[in-house]
Amino acid sequence: MIIAQIDVNGETTDVLVPVELWQQLISSINSDNVSGLAWIDEQESKVQILADLQESVRQAAVGQTFPVSELWDDIEA
């Protein structure tokens, strides 16, 4: 998993985060203590999850990828 980080000069750099640490961070954010899934994920059908995954794989295969710096542009806090 790659995330953005700011170095001492204020420049954005990419860093690798171990998968185990990333999973711990994600599970601690907005998760259900029983299943470990976020509420919205609990409500999504397996058919929709599979369709989303298939679309993501298709996009990656044809080179439709996005820079890490753009992943959260449309998300409001």
Side-chain angles (χ1 to χ4, degrees):
M1 179 62 61
I2 299 176
I3 62 171
Q5 175 179 323
I6 307 297
D7 66 12
V8 293
N9 299 320
E11 299 290 327
T12 301
T13 61
D14 291 334
V15 295
L16 293 176
V17 176
V19 172
E20 293 168 359
L21 176 58
W22 183 254
Q23 289 172 338
Q24 289 175 354
L25 290 170
I26 295 301
S27 68
S28 68
I29 299 171
N30 195 24
S31 67
D32 176 349
N33 291 334
V34 175
S35 70
L37 294 175
W39 179 86
I40 195 166
D41 294 327
E42 286 283 358
Q43 306 309 310
E44 193 167 21
S45 72
K46 291 178 183 174
V47 171
Q48 184 60 50
I49 293 170
L50 181 58
D52 291 345
L53 179 59
Q54 289 171 329
E55 177 62 14
S56 296
V57 170
R58 185 200 64 76
Q59 288 175 337
V62 297
Q64 290 179 317
T65 59
F66 302 94
V68 171
S69 61
E70 294 178 12
L71 290 179
W72 292 276
D73 283 353
D74 295 332
I75 296 177
E76 296 180 23

Coordinates of all heavy atoms in Angstrom, one line a residue:
M1 N 0.9 -1.2 0.0 CA 0.0 0.0 0.0 C 0.9 1.2 0.0 O 1.8 1.3 0.8 CB -0.9 0.0 1.2 CG -1.8 1.1 1.4 SD -3.0 1.3 0.1 CE -3.9 -0.2 0.2
I2 N 0.6 2.2 -0.8 CA 1.4 3.4 -0.9 C 0.6 4.6 -0.4 O -0.6 4.7 -0.8 CB 1.9 3.7 -2.3 CG1 2.8 2.5 -2.8 CG2 2.6 5.0 -2.4 CD1 3.2 2.6 -4.2
I3 N 1.1 5.4 0.5 CA 0.4 6.6 0.9 C 1.4 7.8 0.8 O 2.6 7.6 0.7 CB -0.1 6.5 2.4 CG1 1.1 6.3 3.3 CG2 -1.1 5.4 2.5 CD1 0.7 6.4 4.8
A4 N 0.8 9.0 0.7 CA 1.6 10.2 0.6 C 2.2 10.6 2.0 O 1.5 10.4 3.0 CB 0.8 11.3 0.0
Q5 N 3.3 11.2 2.0 CA 3.9 11.7 3.2 C 4.7 13.0 2.9 O 5.2 13.1 1.8 CB 4.9 10.6 3.8 CG 5.7 11.1 5.0 CD 6.7 10.0 5.4 OE1 6.4 8.8 5.4 NE2 7.8 10.4 5.9
I6 N 4.7 13.9 3.8 CA 5.4 15.1 3.6 C 6.8 15.1 4.3 O 6.9 14.7 5.4 CB 4.6 16.3 4.2 CG1 3.1 16.3 3.7 CG2 5.3 17.6 3.9 CD1 3.0 16.5 2.2
D7 N 7.8 15.4 3.5 CA 9.2 15.3 4.1 C 9.5 16.7 4.8 O 8.7 17.6 4.8 CB 10.2 14.9 3.1 CG 10.4 15.9 2.0 OD1 9.9 17.1 2.1 OD2 11.1 15.6 1.0
V8 N 10.7 16.8 5.3 CA 11.1 18.0 6.0 C 11.1 19.2 5.2 O 11.1 20.3 5.7 CB 12.5 17.8 6.7 CG1 12.4 16.7 7.8 CG2 13.6 17.4 5.7
N9 N 11.2 19.1 3.9 CA 11.2 20.2 3.0 C 9.8 20.6 2.5 O 9.7 21.5 1.6 CB 12.1 19.9 1.7 CG 13.5 19.7 2.1 OD1 14.1 20.4 3.0 ND2 14.2 18.7 1.5
G10 N 8.8 19.9 3.0 CA 7.5 20.2 2.6 C 7.1 19.5 1.3 O 6.0 19.7 0.7
E11 N 7.9 18.6 0.8 CA 7.7 17.9 -0.5 C 6.9 16.6 -0.2 O 7.1 16.0 0.8 CB 9.0 17.6 -1.2 CG 9.8 18.8 -1.6 CD 9.2 19.6 -2.7 OE1 8.6 19.0 -3.6 OE2 9.4 20.8 -2.6
T12 N 6.0 16.2 -1.1 CA 5.3 15.0 -1.0 C 6.1 13.9 -1.5 O 6.7 13.9 -2.5 CB 4.0 15.1 -1.8 OG1 3.2 16.1 -1.3 CG2 3.2 13.8 -1.6
T13 N 6.2 12.8 -0.7 CA 6.9 11.6 -1.1 C 6.0 10.4 -0.9 O 5.0 10.5 -0.2 CB 8.2 11.4 -0.2 OG1 7.8 11.2 1.2 CG2 9.1 12.5 -0.3
D14 N 6.3 9.3 -1.6 CA 5.5 8.1 -1.4 C 6.3 7.2 -0.4 O 7.5 7.1 -0.5 CB 5.3 7.4 -2.7 CG 4.4 8.1 -3.7 OD1 3.6 8.9 -3.2 OD2 4.5 7.9 -4.9
V15 N 5.6 6.5 0.4 CA 6.2 5.6 1.4 C 5.4 4.3 1.3 O 4.2 4.2 1.0 CB 6.2 6.1 2.8 CG1 7.1 7.3 2.9 CG2 4.8 6.4 3.3
L16 N 6.1 3.2 1.6 CA 5.4 1.9 1.7 C 5.0 1.6 3.1 O 5.7 1.9 4.0 CB 6.3 0.8 1.2 CG 6.7 0.8 -0.2 CD1 7.7 -0.3 -0.5 CD2 5.5 0.6 -1.1
V17 N 3.7 1.2 3.3 CA 3.2 0.8 4.6 C 3.0 -0.7 4.6 O 2.3 -1.2 3.7 CB 1.9 1.6 4.9 CG1 1.3 1.1 6.2 CG2 2.1 3.1 4.8
P18 N 3.5 -1.4 5.6 CA 3.3 -2.8 5.6 C 1.8 -3.2 5.7 O 1.1 -2.5 6.3 CB 4.0 -3.3 6.9 CG 5.0 -2.2 7.2 CD 4.4 -0.9 6.6
V19 N 1.4 -4.2 5.0 CA 0.0 -4.6 4.9 C -0.6 -4.8 6.2 O -1.7 -4.4 6.5 CB -0.1 -5.8 4.0 CG1 -1.6 -6.4 4.0 CG2 0.3 -5.5 2.6
E20 N 0.1 -5.4 7.2 CA -0.4 -5.7 8.5 C -0.7 -4.4 9.2 O -1.8 -4.3 9.8 CB 0.6 -6.5 9.3 CG 0.7 -7.9 8.8 CD 1.9 -8.7 9.4 OE1 2.6 -8.1 10.2 OE2 2.1 -9.8 9.0
L21 N 0.1 -3.4 9.1 CA -0.1 -2.1 9.8 C -1.3 -1.4 9.1 O -2.1 -0.9 9.8 CB 1.2 -1.3 9.7 CG 1.0 0.2 10.2 CD1 0.6 0.1 11.7 CD2 2.3 0.9 10.1
W22 N -1.3 -1.5 7.8 CA -2.4 -0.8 7.1 C -3.8 -1.4 7.5 O -4.7 -0.7 7.7 CB -2.2 -1.0 5.6 CG -3.3 -0.3 4.8 CD1 -4.3 -0.9 4.1 CD2 -3.4 1.1 4.6 NE1 -5.1 0.1 3.5 CE2 -4.6 1.3 3.8 CE3 -2.7 2.3 5.0 CZ2 -5.0 2.6 3.4 CZ3 -3.2 3.5 4.6 CH2 -4.3 3.7 3.8
Q23 N -3.8 -2.8 7.6 CA -5.0 -3.4 8.0 C -5.5 -3.0 9.4 O -6.6 -2.8 9.7 CB -4.9 -4.9 7.9 CG -4.8 -5.4 6.4 CD -4.4 -6.9 6.3 OE1 -3.8 -7.5 7.2 NE2 -4.8 -7.5 5.2
Q24 N -4.5 -2.9 10.3 CA -4.8 -2.5 11.7 C -5.4 -1.0 11.7 O -6.4 -0.8 12.4 CB -3.6 -2.5 12.5 CG -3.1 -3.9 12.9 CD -1.8 -3.9 13.6 OE1 -1.2 -2.8 13.8 NE2 -1.4 -5.1 14.1
L25 N -4.8 -0.2 10.9 CA -5.3 1.2 10.8 C -6.7 1.3 10.2 O -7.6 1.9 10.8 CB -4.4 2.1 9.9 CG -3.0 2.4 10.5 CD1 -2.1 3.0 9.4 CD2 -3.1 3.3 11.7
I26 N -6.9 0.6 9.2 CA -8.2 0.5 8.5 C -9.3 -0.1 9.5 O -10.4 0.5 9.6 CB -8.2 -0.2 7.2 CG1 -7.3 0.5 6.2 CG2 -9.6 -0.4 6.7 CD1 -7.8 1.9 5.9
S27 N -8.9 -1.1 10.1 CA -9.9 -1.8 11.0 C -10.3 -0.9 12.2 O -11.3 -1.0 12.8 CB -9.4 -3.2 11.5 OG -8.3 -3.0 12.3
S28 N -9.4 0.0 12.6 CA -9.6 0.8 13.8 C -10.5 2.0 13.4 O -11.0 2.7 14.3 CB -8.3 1.3 14.4 OG -7.7 2.2 13.6
I29 N -10.7 2.3 12.1 CA -11.4 3.4 11.7 C -12.8 2.9 11.2 O -12.9 2.2 10.3 CB -10.8 4.1 10.5 CG1 -9.4 4.6 10.9 CG2 -11.6 5.2 9.9 CD1 -8.6 5.2 9.7
N30 N -13.8 3.4 11.9 CA -15.2 3.1 11.5 C -15.5 1.7 11.2 O -16.0 1.3 10.2 CB -15.6 4.0 10.2 CG -17.0 4.0 10.0 OD1 -17.8 3.8 10.9 ND2 -17.4 4.3 8.7
S31 N -15.1 0.8 12.2 CA -15.4 -0.6 12.0 C -16.4 -1.1 13.0 O -16.6 -0.6 14.1 CB -14.1 -1.4 12.1 OG -13.6 -1.3 13.4
D32 N -17.0 -2.2 12.6 CA -17.9 -3.0 13.5 C -17.1 -3.9 14.3 O -16.3 -4.7 13.8 CB -18.9 -3.7 12.6 CG -19.8 -4.6 13.4 OD1 -19.6 -4.8 14.6 OD2 -20.8 -5.1 12.7
N33 N -17.2 -3.9 15.6 CA -16.4 -4.7 16.5 C -16.6 -6.2 16.3 O -15.7 -7.0 16.6 CB -16.6 -4.4 18.0 CG -16.1 -3.0 18.3 OD1 -15.2 -2.5 17.7 ND2 -16.7 -2.4 19.3
V34 N -17.7 -6.6 15.8 CA -18.0 -8.0 15.6 C -17.4 -8.5 14.3 O -16.6 -9.5 14.3 CB -19.5 -8.3 15.5 CG1 -19.8 -9.7 15.2 CG2 -20.2 -7.9 16.9
S35 N -17.6 -7.9 13.2 CA -17.1 -8.4 11.9 C -15.8 -7.7 11.5 O -15.1 -8.2 10.6 CB -18.1 -8.1 10.8 OG -18.2 -6.7 10.5
G36 N -15.5 -6.5 12.0 CA -14.3 -5.8 11.6 C -14.6 -5.0 10.3 O -13.7 -4.3 9.8
L37 N -15.8 -5.0 9.8 CA -16.1 -4.2 8.6 C -16.7 -2.9 8.9 O -17.4 -2.8 9.9 CB -17.0 -5.0 7.6 CG -16.5 -6.3 7.0 CD1 -17.6 -7.0 6.3 CD2 -15.3 -6.0 6.1
A38 N -16.5 -1.9 8.1 CA -17.2 -0.6 8.2 C -18.7 -0.8 8.0 O -19.1 -1.8 7.3 CB -16.7 0.4 7.3
W39 N -19.5 0.0 8.6 CA -21.0 -0.2 8.5 C -21.4 -0.2 7.0 O -22.2 -1.0 6.6 CB -21.7 1.0 9.2 CG -23.2 0.9 9.1 CD1 -24.0 0.2 9.9 CD2 -24.0 1.5 8.1 NE1 -25.3 0.3 9.4 CE2 -25.3 1.1 8.3 CE3 -23.8 2.3 7.0 CZ2 -26.4 1.5 7.5 CZ3 -24.8 2.7 6.2 CH2 -26.1 2.3 6.5
I40 N -20.9 0.7 6.2 CA -21.3 0.8 4.8 C -20.9 -0.5 4.1 O -21.6 -1.0 3.2 CB -20.7 2.0 4.1 CG1 -21.4 2.2 2.7 CG2 -19.2 1.9 3.9 CD1 -21.1 3.6 2.1
D41 N -19.8 -1.2 4.4 CA -19.4 -2.4 3.8 C -20.3 -3.6 4.3 O -20.6 -4.5 3.5 CB -18.0 -2.8 4.2 CG -17.0 -1.8 3.5 OD1 -17.3 -1.3 2.4 OD2 -16.0 -1.5 4.2
E42 N -20.8 -3.5 5.5 CA -21.8 -4.5 5.9 C -23.1 -4.5 5.1 O -23.7 -5.5 5.0 CB -22.1 -4.3 7.4 CG -21.0 -4.7 8.4 CD -20.9 -6.2 8.6 OE1 -21.7 -7.0 8.0 OE2 -20.0 -6.6 9.3
Q43 N -23.4 -3.3 4.7 CA -24.7 -3.1 4.0 C -24.6 -3.4 2.5 O -25.6 -3.6 1.8 CB -25.2 -1.7 4.1 CG -25.3 -1.2 5.6 CD -26.1 -2.2 6.5 OE1 -27.2 -2.6 6.1 NE2 -25.5 -2.6 7.6
E44 N -23.4 -3.5 1.9 CA -23.2 -3.7 0.5 C -23.3 -5.2 0.1 O -22.8 -6.0 0.8 CB -21.9 -3.1 0.0 CG -21.7 -3.0 -1.5 CD -20.5 -2.2 -1.9 OE1 -19.6 -2.0 -1.0 OE2 -20.5 -1.7 -3.0
S45 N -24.1 -5.4 -0.9 CA -24.3 -6.8 -1.3 C -23.0 -7.5 -1.9 O -22.1 -6.7 -2.4 CB -25.3 -7.0 -2.4 OG -24.9 -6.5 -3.6
K46 N -22.8 -8.8 -1.7 CA -21.7 -9.5 -2.3 C -21.6 -9.3 -3.8 O -20.5 -9.2 -4.4 CB -21.7 -10.9 -1.9 CG -21.5 -11.1 -0.4 CD -21.6 -12.6 0.0 CE -21.4 -12.7 1.5 NZ -21.7 -14.1 1.9
V47 N -22.7 -9.3 -4.4 CA -22.8 -9.1 -5.9 C -22.2 -7.7 -6.3 O -21.4 -7.6 -7.2 CB -24.2 -9.2 -6.4 CG1 -24.3 -8.8 -7.9 CG2 -24.7 -10.6 -6.2
Q48 N -22.5 -6.7 -5.5 CA -22.0 -5.4 -5.8 C -20.5 -5.3 -5.5 O -19.7 -4.7 -6.3 CB -22.7 -4.3 -5.0 CG -22.2 -2.9 -5.3 CD -22.5 -2.5 -6.8 OE1 -23.6 -2.7 -7.3 NE2 -21.4 -2.0 -7.5
I49 N -20.0 -5.9 -4.4 CA -18.6 -5.9 -4.1 C -17.8 -6.6 -5.2 O -16.8 -6.1 -5.7 CB -18.4 -6.6 -2.7 CG1 -19.0 -5.8 -1.6 CG2 -16.9 -6.9 -2.5 CD1 -19.0 -6.5 -0.3
L50 N -18.3 -7.8 -5.7 CA -17.7 -8.5 -6.8 C -17.6 -7.6 -8.1 O -16.6 -7.6 -8.7 CB -18.3 -9.8 -7.0 CG -17.7 -10.7 -8.1 CD1 -16.3 -11.0 -7.8 CD2 -18.5 -12.0 -8.3
A51 N -18.7 -7.0 -8.4 CA -18.8 -6.1 -9.6 C -17.8 -5.0 -9.5 O -17.1 -4.7 -10.4 CB -20.2 -5.6 -9.8
D52 N -17.7 -4.4 -8.3 CA -16.7 -3.3 -8.1 C -15.3 -3.8 -8.2 O -14.4 -3.1 -8.8 CB -16.9 -2.7 -6.7 CG -18.2 -1.9 -6.5 OD1 -18.8 -1.6 -7.6 OD2 -18.6 -1.6 -5.4
L53 N -15.0 -5.0 -7.7 CA -13.7 -5.5 -7.8 C -13.3 -5.9 -9.3 O -12.2 -5.6 -9.8 CB -13.6 -6.8 -7.0 CG -12.2 -7.5 -7.0 CD1 -11.1 -6.6 -6.6 CD2 -12.3 -8.8 -6.2
Q54 N -14.3 -6.4 -10.0 CA -14.1 -6.7 -11.4 C -13.8 -5.5 -12.2 O -12.9 -5.5 -13.1 CB -15.3 -7.5 -12.0 CG -15.4 -8.9 -11.5 CD -16.7 -9.6 -11.8 OE1 -17.7 -9.0 -12.0 NE2 -16.6 -10.9 -12.0
E55 N -14.5 -4.4 -11.9 CA -14.3 -3.1 -12.6 C -13.0 -2.6 -12.3 O -12.3 -2.1 -13.2 CB -15.4 -2.1 -12.3 CG -15.3 -0.8 -12.9 CD -15.3 -0.8 -14.4 OE1 -15.7 -1.8 -15.0 OE2 -14.9 0.3 -15.0
S56 N -12.5 -2.7 -11.1 CA -11.2 -2.2 -10.7 C -10.1 -2.9 -11.4 O -9.1 -2.3 -11.8 CB -11.1 -2.3 -9.1 OG -12.0 -1.4 -8.5
V57 N -10.2 -4.2 -11.4 CA -9.2 -5.0 -12.1 C -9.2 -4.7 -13.6 O -8.1 -4.5 -14.2 CB -9.5 -6.5 -11.9 CG1 -8.6 -7.4 -12.8 CG2 -9.3 -6.9 -10.5
R58 N -10.4 -4.5 -14.2 CA -10.4 -4.1 -15.6 C -9.7 -2.8 -15.9 O -9.0 -2.6 -16.8 CB -11.9 -4.0 -16.1 CG -12.0 -3.8 -17.6 CD -13.4 -3.2 -18.0 NE -13.7 -2.0 -17.4 CZ -13.2 -0.8 -17.9 NH1 -12.3 -0.7 -18.9 NH2 -13.5 0.4 -17.3
Q59 N -10.0 -1.8 -15.0 CA -9.4 -0.5 -15.2 C -7.9 -0.6 -15.0 O -7.2 0.1 -15.8 CB -10.0 0.5 -14.1 CG -11.4 0.9 -14.4 CD -12.0 1.8 -13.3 OE1 -11.6 1.8 -12.2 NE2 -13.0 2.5 -13.7
A60 N -7.4 -1.3 -14.0 CA -6.0 -1.5 -13.9 C -5.3 -2.1 -15.1 O -4.2 -1.7 -15.5 CB -5.7 -2.3 -12.6
A61 N -6.0 -3.1 -15.6 CA -5.4 -3.8 -16.8 C -5.3 -2.9 -18.0 O -4.3 -3.2 -18.8 CB -6.3 -5.0 -17.1
V62 N -6.1 -1.9 -18.2 CA -6.0 -1.1 -19.3 C -5.3 0.3 -19.0 O -5.3 1.2 -19.8 CB -7.4 -0.8 -20.0 CG1 -8.0 -2.0 -20.5 CG2 -8.3 -0.1 -19.0
G63 N -4.7 0.3 -17.8 CA -3.9 1.5 -17.4 C -4.7 2.7 -16.9 O -4.2 3.8 -16.8
Q64 N -6.0 2.5 -16.5 CA -6.7 3.6 -15.9 C -6.5 3.6 -14.5 O -7.2 3.1 -13.6 CB -8.2 3.4 -16.2 CG -8.6 3.5 -17.6 CD -10.1 3.3 -17.8 OE1 -10.7 2.3 -17.2 NE2 -10.8 4.1 -18.6
T65 N -5.3 4.2 -14.1 CA -5.0 4.3 -12.7 C -4.9 5.8 -12.3 O -4.9 6.7 -13.2 CB -3.6 3.6 -12.4 OG1 -2.6 4.3 -13.3 CG2 -3.7 2.1 -12.8
F66 N -4.8 6.1 -11.0 CA -4.8 7.4 -10.6 C -3.6 7.6 -9.6 O -3.3 6.7 -8.8 CB -6.0 7.8 -9.8 CG -7.3 7.6 -10.6 CD1 -8.0 6.4 -10.6 CD2 -7.8 8.6 -11.5 CE1 -9.1 6.2 -11.3 CE2 -8.9 8.4 -12.2 CZ -9.6 7.2 -12.2
P67 N -2.9 8.8 -9.7 CA -1.9 9.1 -8.7 C -2.4 9.1 -7.3 O -3.6 9.4 -7.1 CB -1.4 10.5 -9.1 CG -1.9 10.7 -10.5 CD -3.1 9.9 -10.6
V68 N -1.6 8.6 -6.4 CA -2.0 8.6 -5.0 C -2.5 9.9 -4.5 O -3.5 10.0 -3.7 CB -0.8 8.1 -4.1 CG1 -1.2 8.2 -2.6 CG2 -0.5 6.6 -4.4
S69 N -1.9 11.0 -5.0 CA -2.2 12.3 -4.5 C -3.7 12.7 -4.9 O -4.2 13.6 -4.3 CB -1.3 13.4 -5.1 OG -1.3 13.3 -6.6
E70 N -4.3 12.0 -5.8 CA -5.7 12.3 -6.3 C -6.7 11.4 -5.6 O -7.9 11.7 -5.8 CB -5.8 12.2 -7.8 CG -4.9 13.2 -8.5 CD -5.1 13.0 -10.0 OE1 -5.9 12.3 -10.5 OE2 -4.2 13.6 -10.7
L71 N -6.3 10.4 -4.9 CA -7.3 9.4 -4.4 C -8.4 10.0 -3.5 O -9.5 9.6 -3.5 CB -6.6 8.3 -3.6 CG -5.8 7.4 -4.5 CD1 -5.1 6.3 -3.7 CD2 -6.6 6.7 -5.6
W72 N -8.0 11.0 -2.7 CA -9.0 11.6 -1.7 C -9.4 13.0 -2.1 O -10.0 13.7 -1.2 CB -8.3 11.6 -0.3 CG -8.2 10.1 0.2 CD1 -9.1 9.4 0.8 CD2 -7.0 9.3 0.1 NE1 -8.6 8.1 1.1 CE2 -7.3 8.1 0.7 CE3 -5.7 9.5 -0.4 CZ2 -6.4 7.0 0.8 CZ3 -4.8 8.5 -0.3 CH2 -5.2 7.3 0.2
D73 N -9.2 13.4 -3.3 CA -9.6 14.8 -3.7 C -11.1 15.1 -3.5 O -11.4 16.2 -3.2 CB -9.2 15.0 -5.2 CG -7.7 15.3 -5.3 OD1 -7.0 15.4 -4.3 OD2 -7.3 15.4 -6.5
D74 N -11.9 14.1 -3.8 CA -13.4 14.4 -3.7 C -14.0 14.0 -2.4 O -15.2 14.2 -2.2 CB -14.1 13.6 -4.8 CG -13.7 14.0 -6.2 OD1 -13.3 15.2 -6.4 OD2 -13.7 13.2 -7.1
I75 N -13.2 13.6 -1.4 CA -13.7 13.3 -0.1 C -13.7 14.5 0.8 O -12.7 15.2 0.9 CB -12.9 12.1 0.5 CG1 -13.1 10.9 -0.3 CG2 -13.4 11.9 2.0 CD1 -12.3 9.7 0.2
E76 N -14.9 14.8 1.4 CA -15.0 15.9 2.3 C -15.0 15.4 3.7 O -15.6 14.4 4.1 CB -16.3 16.7 2.1 CG -16.3 17.3 0.7 CD -17.6 18.1 0.5 OE1 -18.3 18.5 1.5 OE2 -18.0 18.2 -0.7
A77 N -14.3 16.1 4.6 CA -14.2 15.7 6.0 C -15.4 16.1 6.8 O -16.1 17.0 6.5 CB -13.0 16.3 6.7

